Amino acid sequence: MSYNIAIDGPAGAGKSTIAKAVAKELGFIYVDTGAMYRAMALYLIRKGILPEDTKEMEKACEQADISIVYQEGSQQVLLNGENVTGLLRQEEVGNMASVSSANGRIREKLVELQRQLAARENVVMDGRDIGTCVLPGADVKVYLTASAHTRALRRCRELEEKGIPCVLEEIERDINERDERDMTREISPLKRAEDAVLVDSSDMGIQEVKEAIIRLYREKAGK
Ligand code: DC
């Protein structure tokens, strides 16, 4: 039977960095479910579908085949066979994903894919609804968060390192809007599972958070 670690939390809390590091140390596979929603969003953008056009969105998503492969341990997302991994971190794609991920049919498709992966492999899976909906029986559940200001600062630093100019206030406003959408949507809103351990990373380094999660795993798994 596979071992599953679920990490949920808002945008910019450091989920992917932490989940990747934990997966590497434990020899598990890292599954970035946000990237799957982003690939679907990219498909919708390319099709010219507007965020408010729910009916068109539902129709179009049936034509999007999303799958995951691993190259040298790193997750690659294929959209109808094309590797779109490098295109997924753009703000436009993230903003569309935040809207389109509230769509029930899109969630159904992607949750199915996520469950299949977790049943086959030992995974560290990050997202918004992993502990509450995708893998309610996960062995370890973590709700990783940080203040909106800290998260905006981190995102700005990330963009500046890539040479992309940014305005902190705009990023913080986007983060707050995205949190609001993710937490108040009808289907699978972002919330802490009752049995998830709350970790606030505002004043913690990556190493510290990683070690806290590995400790939880060792306690639970008796290793
Ligand atoms: O983590 P991220 O920013 O790459 O996620 C992109 C969007 O997808 C985000 O607005 C929330 C949504 N998402 C979701 O609804 N459920 C998940 N399991 C992962 C992401």
Side-chain angles (χ1 to χ4, degrees):
M1 228 185 72
S2 60
Y3 204 95
N4 297 162
I5 299 179
I7 303 183
D8 290 302
K15 296 187 299 295
S16 62
T17 307
I18 300 295
K20 247 183 243 167
V22 171
K24 190 163 180 217
E25 177 135 349
L26 297 177
F28 285 18
I29 281 180
Y30 164 55
V31 184
D32 172 3
T33 62
M36 298 179 188
Y37 287 98
R38 283 170 184 267
M40 183 60 86
L42 178 66
Y43 181 77
L44 299 172
I45 292 170
R46 283 176 170 179
K47 285 271 160 199
I49 291 166
L50 299 173
E52 56 275 16
D53 205 342
T54 313
K55 280 272 163 299
E56 282 303 310
M57 214 178 252
E58 282 180 2
K59 237 196 286 164
C61 85
E62 304 301 338
Q63 268 84 56
D65 178 47
I66 291 166
S67 57
I68 298 291
V69 293
Y70 288 85
Q71 268 172 20
E72 290 159 22
S74 126
Q75 174 182 292
Q76 307 291 313
V77 186
L78 307 184
L79 171 60
N80 292 332
E82 174 193 352
N83 189 338
V84 292
T85 314
L87 305 173
L88 303 180
R89 302 304 307 171
Q90 304 165 56
E91 293 298 306
E92 185 198 8
V93 175
N95 287 333
M96 177 60 136
S98 172
V99 178
S100 55
S101 63
N103 186 284
R105 180 62 197 126
I106 289 178
R107 297 204 75 81
E108 221 172 73
K109 266 187 86 140
L110 297 182
V111 166
E112 177 61 25
L113 175 63
Q114 292 154 15
R115 287 187 178 144
Q116 283 169 8
L117 269 167
R120 261 201 325 266
E121 313 273 0
N122 292 331
V123 296
V124 182
M125 188 176 281
D126 81 9
R128 303 294 192 285
D129 61 336
I130 311 305
T132 50
C133 164
V134 181
L135 307 173
D139 304 277
V140 173
K141 294 184 189 178
V142 173
Y143 189 84
L144 184 64
T145 189
S147 71
H149 187 66
T150 304
R151 290 184 279 135
L153 278 172
R154 288 177 185 164
R155 181 76 186 129
C156 263
R157 225 174 287 144
E158 211 178 279
L159 289 170
E160 277 163 3
E161 273 165 20
K162 288 183 192 154
I164 304 168
C166 71
V167 180
L168 181 65
E169 290 72 26
E170 278 176 18
I171 300 278
E172 191 166 339
R173 193 200 53 216
D174 275 0
I175 282 182
N176 279 319
E177 279 176 13
R178 202 175 297 181
D179 281 0
E180 173 73 13
R181 271 200 300 270
D182 291 349
M183 290 174 177
T184 56
R185 68 182 178 213
E186 217 168 290
I187 309 167
S188 302
L190 167 65
K191 65 168 192 245
R192 177 184 166 192
E194 273 175 21
D195 51 350
V197 177
L198 176 71
V199 179
D200 186 330
S201 73
S202 301
D203 300 310
M204 287 169 91
I206 294 168
Q207 189 66 15
E208 210 181 329
V209 178
K210 180 186 105 177
E211 280 166 12
I213 296 174
I214 291 189
R215 233 183 353 261
L216 276 174
Y217 161 74
R218 298 210 190 285
E219 278 165 21
K220 287 257 183 159
K223 292 186 183 175

